[in-house]
Amino acid sequence: MLKEKIVEEIRENGFITFDRFVEICLYNKEFGYYTKKRTKTGLGEDFVTAPEVSESFGKTLANYLEKRIMELSLPLKILELGGGKGFLAKDIVETLSPENYTVLEVREKPGWLKGVNWVKSLKEVEPFEGVVVSNEFFDAFPFKRIKKINGELREVVVKERDGELYEDTIPFGGKIPCQIGEGEEYCLFIGWEEFLKELSKKLKRGLFLTFDYGGKCSEIAGKKSFKAFRKNRLVEDYLKYPGETDLTALVDFDYLSSTLEETGFTVERVTHQSSFLLENGIEKFIEPGKVPQALMLLVDMGRKFKVLEATRAHSR
Ligand SMILES: C[S@@+](CC[C@H](N)C(=O)[O-])C[C@H]1O[C@@H](n2cnc3c(N)ncnc32)[C@H](O)[C@@H]1O
């Protein structure tokens, strides 16, 4: 199983870096948390996301996109990053009937989802003008955990003893984009830059919107950023059940913004999810009997989640 594969890889070098550990746990073809074949593809896994909580999320977003697409004279072409179980795609497609809606997702396409293209790699996406949207995509990249110990930056690695996994640290030679204090930890996502460079080649002109949980560097530094979830609960024993536990971290929106700027986007604003939903008329889209779910989007998730909006001017 996955643990044996990890132990085998550790035995080659004595350890694996934490980002490699996350990559195997989430995306190993056979046993990865996101990529393994599931018997159940509905709700009730280890996390519930905004599009799964209530249709009002996707419909409010669609309402906003319609307005911005007109303002920016963009074609109604949408690329969704990390579409998961397809709920956001369904709500946007039902509301906007776009010319083209493509979902980039390593998981299998849900059988019930109609009217969307489903691709597993950005290579399959033709350059286009339009919109790129995502919810909880950038927090699903592998990440390093960097700690400050005795004034030095060290990275967490995973080692094994008698087939059991444990954490250790080694010196970290790189830099982190956010200052941390003694004993604090920063989660450094790996691969954003490479991904966004590729994306900026595909999005010739348009709008980019992403929702995620996290905040500015000053808001997240010193907070417990790394989180592991299993069966809907926050757990500590994530080393025992690789592939069955979702591993994630808070998104540093300052770092995400600077990476977007470096790769050809212009960041327009970062705001709370709750403000975004209220400004864009969520009350019109709340289904009868679903007020508690909409409140969850506004109150509970509403302050923890942010939305970043960026634009991409014409590129050749
Ligand atoms: C936390 S889930 C969010 C799913 C969905 N957006 C939602 O809100 O319900 C992150 C999703 O991104 C997908 N993902 C992460 N990195 C990816 C990549 N580089 N290419 C395609 N899909 C990716 C994962 O498979 C997973 O389904």
Side-chain angles (χ1 to χ4, degrees):
M1 294 275 288
L2 197 55
K3 201 168 184 182
E4 278 101 72
K5 283 182 186 285
I6 294 172
V7 167
E8 229 173 82
E9 195 169 318
I10 292 175
R11 286 186 180 152
E12 284 170 24
N13 293 309
F15 66 84
I16 53 171
T17 57
F18 200 78
D19 51 311
R20 175 65 186 146
F21 175 73
V22 175
E23 187 182 356
I24 304 174
C25 289
L26 300 186
Y27 300 110
N28 173 272
K29 278 213 165 69
E30 269 175 287
F31 304 115
Y33 179 80
Y34 284 125
T35 32
K36 69 185 166 199
K37 287 234 171 343
R38 286 153 196 270
T39 44
K40 186 171 86 167
T41 52
L43 299 174
E45 291 178 8
D46 301 327
F47 56 87
V48 181
T49 62
E52 296 172 11
V53 168
S54 161
E55 285 179 13
S56 59
F57 177 82
K59 297 207 161 159
T60 309
L61 174 56
N63 185 40
Y64 179 72
L65 294 181
E66 191 171 25
K67 187 179 86 185
R68 292 292 279 143
I69 283 169
M70 295 247 283
E71 283 169 4
L72 298 168
S73 304
L74 290 169
L76 235 175
K77 291 186 179 169
I78 301 173
L79 169 66
E80 183 187 346
L81 310 174
K85 296 173 213 150
F87 289 87
L88 183 61
K90 173 188 146 295
D91 294 333
I92 296 182
V93 167
E94 271 179 14
T95 316
L96 294 182
S97 307
E99 251 174 79
N100 180 294
Y101 194 104
T102 299
V103 174
L104 168 73
E105 173 55 64
V106 289
R107 295 166 71 142
E108 295 301 320
K109 180 180 181 182
W112 55 265
L113 184 63
K114 305 283 176 257
V116 309
N117 301 322
W118 195 269
V119 298
K120 292 198 171 176
S121 156
L122 257 189
K123 291 195 178 78
E124 298 172 61
V125 176
E126 291 296 324
F128 72 107
E129 291 190 5
V131 174
V132 176
V133 290
S134 56
N135 183 61
E136 291 201 47
F137 176 70
F138 289 93
D139 73 33
F141 276 66
F143 54 92
K144 285 186 182 293
R145 288 168 55 204
I146 312 295
K147 291 177 186 246
K148 195 178 247 182
I149 303 172
N150 297 329
E152 264 181 52
L153 293 182
R154 298 182 68 83
E155 67 170 289
V156 174
V157 295
V158 179
K159 294 186 172 173
E160 70 89 24
R161 191 183 300 116
D162 303 326
E164 289 307 315
L165 305 178
Y166 68 96
E167 274 182 19
D168 200 356
T169 62
I170 59 167
F172 176 62
K175 285 190 183 146
I176 52 172
C178 179
Q179 294 298 317
I180 51 170
E182 182 62 30
E184 290 177 352
E185 181 173 301
Y186 179 80
C187 292
L188 177 64
F189 283 98
I190 303 296
W192 283 358
E193 191 179 347
E194 196 185 330
F195 180 85
L196 288 172
K197 260 190 204 159
E198 281 309 301
L199 182 68
S200 74
K201 287 186 203 152
K202 302 294 179 176
L203 183 67
K204 301 308 248 178
R205 186 176 74 88
L207 186 66
F208 169 99
L209 272 173
T210 192
F211 294 79
D212 225 313
Y213 66 133
K216 290 181 183 159
C217 149
S218 58
E219 291 167 333
I220 64 166
K223 279 203 181 146
K224 190 169 170 9
S225 172
F226 164 52
K227 291 189 171 67
F229 294 95
R230 195 169 55 254
K231 299 199 170 84
N232 274 313
R233 301 176 91 135
L234 197 57
V235 295
E236 295 293 331
D237 61 352
Y238 67 92
L239 289 169
K240 271 197 180 161
Y241 305 98
E244 289 169 43
T245 313
D246 182 22
L247 306 173
T248 183
L250 294 175
V251 164
D252 173 353
F253 277 89
D254 285 339
Y255 179 45
L256 184 57
S257 298
S258 61
T259 312
L260 278 159
E261 294 274 350
E262 277 161 24
T263 50
F265 294 83
T266 304
V267 175
E268 306 289 344
R269 64 174 189 155
V270 178
T271 185
H272 285 107
Q273 176 174 296
S274 53
S275 313
F276 177 88
L277 294 174
L278 288 168
E279 277 167 23
N280 293 295
I282 186 172
E283 69 284 354
K284 290 188 288 223
F285 306 105
I286 300 173
E287 313 95 301
K290 292 268 180 86
V291 174
Q293 284 86 338
L295 281 177
M296 188 172 161
L297 294 178
L298 291 170
V299 182
D300 183 28
M301 293 174 138
R303 302 304 288 174
K304 289 185 196 144
F305 278 68
K306 308 285 185 310
V307 51
L308 181 154
E309 178 170 352
T311 46
R312 170 114 176 95
H314 225 284
S315 73
R316 268 173 288 140

